[in-house]
Amino acid sequence: MLGELDTYSLIDFFPFSKEVYLRLFGLQNEAWWPAQFIFLFLALLVFAIAVAPVPWAKKVPARWRSAVSGAFLAVSFTCVAVTFFLGRYADLNWAAPYFGWVFIAQAVLFALVGALGKLEVAGRADGARGICFWSGCLWVMLALFGYPAMAFAGFGVGGFGRGWKTAELVGLAPDPTVVLAVGMIMLLKKPRLWLLVVPAAWSAAAGLTALALELSSGFITVSLVFLGAGIASFQRFFGAPARVAPEGGA
Amino acid sequence: MSEQKPRTARIDRRTFLAASVASIASATLPGAAFADGPLRYLTKPIPSTGVQVPVIGMGTWITFNVGDDKALRDARAEVLRAFFGGGGGLVDSSPMYGSSQEVLGYALNKIGRAKTLFAADKIWTRDGDDTLEQLSESRAHWNIPRFDLMQVHNLLSWEDHLPKLRRLRASKKLGHIGITTSHGRRHSELAEIMKSHQLDVVQLTYNPIDRQVEEVLLPLARERNIAIIANRPFRGGGLLDTLQRHPFPEWARHEADADNWPQFVLKWIVSHPAVTCAIPATSKVTHMRENMGACRGRLPDQKTRAKMLAYIESL
């Protein structure tokens, strides 16, 4: 179906209007209510376990923290793939299922890498490591609270009036889900840059969607993902070796 | 614009067919009309068969792709109702347009299938073995027994699809066959296909700004008895956005029976001797009613047409 790409223009990949695209998230939220709160609760729990800021989380072994992070990201990506890309969005855009399968592949990767203990979060540090760690925390919070806040404020549609019902949320919409993943990767002792390929690919698609539909929220996603990838790369190649959050605390 | 009574009456199939049959004898005359009681709707023939088609059709690109959103599906059904109520006939879609075909099927079921419906769709697959399967799926989405027109979308694998569509046309399982392009793509190849294959219809982009087709493709269509369907008449809405910043020329009301910019543009397009029909797309009932006004009154003659174009170019 993707043959003769030279005969297509950007708009051919977005055969729907801005109104329809935004209502998609409203329908998604309505259909999966109250899964939004379950995802939010689990995300905060996983984040707490990963960075171990509270005493009880510090008791979780590092390898288990990695597995829990991987499992949560895998579930989030799978849910977005199945309910959004292969479900509702596929009705509108023939290209959506391709991203659905890519997200499922990424979910498998997260699960495997997490189980192998490769998603160990670094402890707090100074210099490049510190910038990367705290930026990762910020990215996670933006994914969980920034995106709903943008919808609540009417931001992201080139004007006011979007409304909280069409909020894009982790586990149900791709943009906050990839930003969350990038944030989690930035927290790692050793950021696995190849895990950023799919989030970067989707963020590029989100940017093109934003361009085609005149939506500002897509530009925020592509900016966050590529800036996050840049910070993680800098830490990976130029940062001092990170100190892993020990069993006794970060 | 001639005086109009409220559009409560509907065109029935008998009237439509009677007008079609009568028009066969004068198939080369542009600007024919068929009557619906006191209302007269402008039609033009498909030259190869003489079948008359209302000069304003409806596209579904973007506008009818609303997924399973029931509120929006119902809203599109009302747009379709306004289309048929205004004398419309040809509805064009494609498997490429997401859920548009399904939404059309939903809307047709909801408002009742209009007897003037001229169902036009496209084959959009690279796989030459999928022609019939895709056609069958499209027909199921529309929930209709057969298509009046099936086109190869964007010239995609046309070498494989056209022979199969020709066989279906020969066995009366299809009304007409054609090929489409848009945005000015692949015009040279299209011209070669028009010269070497028996097509009933070619769909291409034509409006007062995109006029490259006037040089080769439109004259070739006349020479080869091929009907032209003009897509993107408003350049995706951009042309109207520009024009509506300028005063509407009052002379167009009595010289072209056009009351607003959409009608001005549409009448200019369909008054080209080679063009059978234009297919604007809209998601709003008010816009549809404006568009359908171009299906009534007179079409501008060539002198008025030149004046209309000069006015647009002067803005």
Coordinates of all heavy atoms in Angstrom, one line a residue, chain A residues 30-73:
Chain A
E30 N -13.6 8.2 26.6 CA -14.9 7.7 27.0 C -15.0 6.2 27.1 O -15.5 5.6 28.0 CB -15.9 8.2 26.0 CG -17.3 8.4 26.5 CD -18.2 9.0 25.4 OE1 -17.9 10.1 25.0 OE2 -19.1 8.3 24.9
A31 N -14.4 5.6 26.1 CA -14.5 4.1 25.9 C -13.7 3.4 27.0 O -14.1 2.3 27.4 CB -14.0 3.7 24.6
W32 N -12.6 4.0 27.5 CA -11.7 3.3 28.4 C -11.8 3.8 29.9 O -11.0 3.5 30.7 CB -10.3 3.3 27.9 CG -10.2 2.5 26.7 CD1 -10.2 2.9 25.4 CD2 -10.2 1.0 26.6 NE1 -10.2 1.9 24.5 CE2 -10.2 0.7 25.2 CE3 -10.2 0.0 27.5 CZ2 -10.2 -0.6 24.8 CZ3 -10.2 -1.3 27.1 CH2 -10.2 -1.6 25.7
W33 N -12.7 4.8 30.1 CA -12.9 5.3 31.5 C -13.2 4.1 32.4 O -13.9 3.2 32.1 CB -14.1 6.3 31.5 CG -14.4 6.8 32.8 CD1 -15.4 6.3 33.6 CD2 -13.8 7.9 33.5 NE1 -15.4 7.0 34.8 CE2 -14.5 8.0 34.7 CE3 -12.8 8.8 33.1 CZ2 -14.1 9.0 35.6 CZ3 -12.5 9.8 34.0 CH2 -13.1 9.9 35.3
P34 N -12.6 4.0 33.6 CA -11.6 4.9 34.2 C -10.1 4.5 34.1 O -9.4 4.7 35.0 CB -12.1 5.0 35.7 CG -12.5 3.5 35.9 CD -13.0 3.0 34.6
A35 N -9.8 3.8 33.0 CA -8.4 3.3 32.8 C -7.4 4.4 33.0 O -6.2 4.2 33.4 CB -8.3 2.6 31.5
Q36 N -7.8 5.6 32.7 CA -6.9 6.8 32.8 C -6.2 6.9 34.2 O -5.0 7.1 34.3 CB -7.6 8.1 32.5 CG -8.2 8.3 31.1 CD -9.5 7.6 31.0 OE1 -10.0 6.8 31.8 NE2 -10.2 7.9 29.9
F37 N -7.1 6.7 35.2 CA -6.6 6.8 36.6 C -5.7 5.6 37.0 O -4.8 5.7 37.8 CB -7.8 7.0 37.6 CG -8.4 8.3 37.4 CD1 -9.6 8.5 36.7 CD2 -7.8 9.5 37.9 CE1 -10.1 9.7 36.6 CE2 -8.3 10.7 37.8 CZ -9.5 10.8 37.1
I38 N -6.1 4.4 36.4 CA -5.3 3.2 36.7 C -3.9 3.4 36.1 O -2.9 3.2 36.8 CB -5.9 2.0 36.1 CG1 -7.3 1.8 36.8 CG2 -5.1 0.8 36.2 CD1 -8.2 0.7 36.1
F39 N -3.8 3.9 34.9 CA -2.5 4.2 34.2 C -1.7 5.2 35.0 O -0.5 5.1 35.2 CB -2.7 4.7 32.8 CG -2.7 3.5 31.8 CD1 -3.8 3.2 31.1 CD2 -1.5 2.8 31.6 CE1 -3.9 2.1 30.2 CE2 -1.6 1.7 30.7 CZ -2.7 1.4 30.0
L40 N -2.4 6.3 35.5 CA -1.7 7.3 36.2 C -1.2 6.8 37.5 O 0.0 7.0 37.9 CB -2.7 8.5 36.5 CG -2.1 9.7 37.3 CD1 -1.0 10.3 36.5 CD2 -3.2 10.7 37.5
F41 N -2.0 6.0 38.2 CA -1.6 5.5 39.5 C -0.4 4.5 39.3 O 0.7 4.6 40.0 CB -2.7 4.7 40.1 CG -2.3 3.9 41.4 CD1 -2.1 4.6 42.6 CD2 -2.2 2.5 41.3 CE1 -1.7 3.9 43.7 CE2 -1.8 1.8 42.4 CZ -1.6 2.5 43.6
L42 N -0.5 3.6 38.3 CA 0.6 2.7 38.0 C 1.9 3.4 37.6 O 3.0 3.0 38.0 CB 0.2 1.7 37.0 CG -0.9 0.7 37.4 CD1 -1.2 -0.2 36.2 CD2 -0.3 -0.2 38.5
A43 N 1.7 4.4 36.8 CA 2.9 5.2 36.3 C 3.6 5.8 37.5 O 4.9 5.8 37.6 CB 2.5 6.2 35.3
L44 N 2.9 6.4 38.4 CA 3.5 7.1 39.6 C 4.2 6.0 40.5 O 5.3 6.2 41.0 CB 2.5 7.9 40.4 CG 2.0 9.1 39.7 CD1 0.8 9.8 40.5 CD2 3.1 10.2 39.6
L45 N 3.5 4.9 40.6 CA 4.1 3.8 41.4 C 5.4 3.3 40.8 O 6.4 3.2 41.5 CB 3.1 2.6 41.5 CG 3.4 1.5 42.4 CD1 3.3 2.0 43.9 CD2 2.4 0.4 42.2
V46 N 5.4 3.1 39.5 CA 6.6 2.6 38.8 C 7.7 3.6 38.9 O 8.9 3.3 39.1 CB 6.2 2.3 37.3 CG1 7.5 2.0 36.5 CG2 5.3 1.0 37.3
F47 N 7.3 4.9 38.7 CA 8.3 6.0 38.8 C 8.9 6.0 40.2 O 10.2 6.1 40.4 CB 7.6 7.3 38.5 CG 8.5 8.5 38.6 CD1 9.6 8.7 37.7 CD2 8.4 9.4 39.6 CE1 10.4 9.8 37.7 CE2 9.2 10.5 39.7 CZ 10.2 10.7 38.8
A48 N 8.1 5.8 41.2 CA 8.6 5.8 42.6 C 9.5 4.7 42.9 O 10.6 4.8 43.5 CB 7.4 5.8 43.6
I49 N 9.1 3.5 42.4 CA 10.0 2.3 42.5 C 11.3 2.5 41.8 O 12.4 2.2 42.3 CB 9.2 1.0 42.0 CG1 8.1 0.8 43.0 CG2 10.2 -0.1 42.0 CD1 7.1 -0.3 42.5
A50 N 11.2 3.1 40.6 CA 12.4 3.2 39.7 C 13.4 4.1 40.3 O 14.6 3.8 40.4 CB 12.0 3.7 38.3
V51 N 12.9 5.3 40.8 CA 13.9 6.3 41.3 C 14.1 6.1 42.8 O 14.9 6.8 43.4 CB 13.5 7.7 41.0 CG1 13.5 7.9 39.5 CG2 12.2 8.1 41.6
A52 N 13.2 5.3 43.4 CA 13.3 5.0 44.9 C 13.4 6.2 45.8 O 14.3 6.3 46.6 CB 14.5 4.1 45.1
P53 N 12.5 7.2 45.7 CA 12.5 8.3 46.6 C 11.9 8.1 47.9 O 12.0 8.9 48.8 CB 11.8 9.4 45.8 CG 10.7 8.6 45.1 CD 11.3 7.3 44.8
V54 N 11.2 7.0 48.1 CA 10.5 6.7 49.4 C 11.1 5.5 50.0 O 11.6 4.5 49.3 CB 9.0 6.6 49.2 CG1 8.3 7.9 48.9 CG2 8.7 5.6 48.0
P55 N 11.1 5.4 51.3 CA 11.8 4.3 52.0 C 11.4 2.9 51.5 O 12.3 2.0 51.3 CB 11.4 4.5 53.4 CG 11.1 5.9 53.5 CD 10.5 6.3 52.2
W56 N 10.1 2.6 51.4 CA 9.7 1.3 51.0 C 10.2 0.9 49.6 O 10.5 -0.3 49.4 CB 8.2 1.1 51.2 CG 7.4 2.0 50.3 CD1 6.8 3.2 50.6 CD2 7.0 1.8 48.9 NE1 6.1 3.7 49.6 CE2 6.2 2.9 48.5 CE3 7.3 0.7 48.0 CZ2 5.7 3.0 47.2 CZ3 6.7 0.9 46.7 CH2 6.0 2.0 46.4
A57 N 10.2 1.8 48.7 CA 10.7 1.5 47.4 C 12.1 1.2 47.3 O 12.6 0.4 46.4 CB 10.4 2.7 46.4
K58 N 12.9 1.7 48.3 CA 14.3 1.4 48.3 C 14.6 0.0 48.6 O 15.7 -0.5 48.3 CB 15.0 2.3 49.4 CG 15.0 3.8 49.0 CD 15.5 4.6 50.2 CE 15.4 6.1 49.9 NZ 15.6 6.9 51.0
K59 N 13.6 -0.7 49.1 CA 13.9 -2.1 49.4 C 13.7 -3.0 48.2 O 14.0 -4.2 48.2 CB 12.9 -2.6 50.5 CG 13.1 -1.9 51.8 CD 12.0 -2.3 52.8 CE 12.2 -1.5 54.1 NZ 11.0 -1.5 55.0
V60 N 13.2 -2.5 47.1 CA 13.0 -3.3 45.9 C 14.3 -3.5 45.2 O 15.0 -2.5 44.9 CB 12.0 -2.6 44.9 CG1 11.8 -3.4 43.7 CG2 10.6 -2.3 45.6
P61 N 14.7 -4.7 45.0 CA 16.0 -4.9 44.3 C 16.1 -4.2 43.0 O 15.1 -4.1 42.3 CB 16.1 -6.4 44.1 CG 15.1 -7.0 45.1 CD 14.0 -6.0 45.2
A62 N 17.3 -3.8 42.6 CA 17.5 -3.0 41.3 C 17.0 -3.8 40.1 O 16.4 -3.2 39.2 CB 19.0 -2.7 41.2
R63 N 17.2 -5.1 40.1 CA 16.8 -5.9 38.9 C 15.3 -5.9 38.8 O 14.7 -5.8 37.7 CB 17.3 -7.3 39.1 CG 17.0 -8.1 37.9 CD 18.0 -9.3 37.7 NE 17.7 -9.9 36.4 CZ 18.6 -10.4 35.6 NH1 19.8 -10.2 35.9 NH2 18.2 -11.0 34.5
W64 N 14.6 -5.9 40.0 CA 13.1 -5.9 40.0 C 12.6 -4.5 39.5 O 11.6 -4.4 38.9 CB 12.6 -6.2 41.4 CG 12.5 -7.7 41.6 CD1 13.4 -8.5 42.3 CD2 11.6 -8.6 41.0 NE1 13.1 -9.8 42.2 CE2 12.0 -9.9 41.4 CE3 10.5 -8.5 40.2 CZ2 11.2 -11.1 41.0 CZ3 9.8 -9.6 39.8 CH2 10.1 -10.9 40.2
R65 N 13.3 -3.5 39.9 CA 12.9 -2.2 39.5 C 12.9 -2.1 38.0 O 12.1 -1.5 37.3 CB 13.9 -1.1 40.1 CG 13.8 -0.9 41.5 CD 14.8 0.1 42.0 NE 15.0 0.1 43.4 CZ 15.9 0.8 44.0 NH1 16.8 1.5 43.3 NH2 16.0 0.7 45.3
S66 N 14.0 -2.6 37.4 CA 14.2 -2.7 36.0 C 13.0 -3.4 35.3 O 12.4 -3.0 34.3 CB 15.5 -3.3 35.6 OG 15.5 -3.6 34.2
A67 N 12.7 -4.6 35.9 CA 11.6 -5.4 35.3 C 10.3 -4.7 35.4 O 9.4 -4.7 34.5 CB 11.5 -6.7 36.0
V68 N 10.0 -4.0 36.5 CA 8.7 -3.3 36.7 C 8.6 -2.2 35.7 O 7.6 -2.0 35.1 CB 8.6 -2.8 38.2 CG1 7.5 -1.8 38.3 CG2 8.4 -4.0 39.1
S69 N 9.7 -1.4 35.5 CA 9.7 -0.3 34.6 C 9.4 -0.9 33.2 O 8.6 -0.3 32.4 CB 11.0 0.4 34.5 OG 11.3 1.0 35.8
G70 N 10.1 -1.9 32.8 CA 10.0 -2.5 31.5 C 8.5 -3.0 31.3 O 7.9 -2.8 30.2
A71 N 8.0 -3.7 32.3 CA 6.7 -4.2 32.2 C 5.6 -3.1 32.0 O 4.7 -3.2 31.2 CB 6.3 -5.1 33.4
F72 N 5.8 -2.0 32.8 CA 4.8 -1.0 32.7 C 4.9 -0.3 31.3 O 3.8 0.0 30.7 CB 5.0 0.1 33.8 CG 4.1 1.2 33.6 CD1 2.7 1.1 33.9 CD2 4.5 2.5 33.1 CE1 1.8 2.2 33.8 CE2 3.6 3.5 32.9 CZ 2.3 3.4 33.3
L73 N 6.1 0.0 30.8 CA 6.2 0.6 29.5 C 5.7 -0.3 28.4 O 5.0 0.1 27.5 CB 7.7 0.9 29.2 CG 8.2 2.1 30.0 CD1 9.7 2.3 29.8 CD2 7.5 3.4 29.6

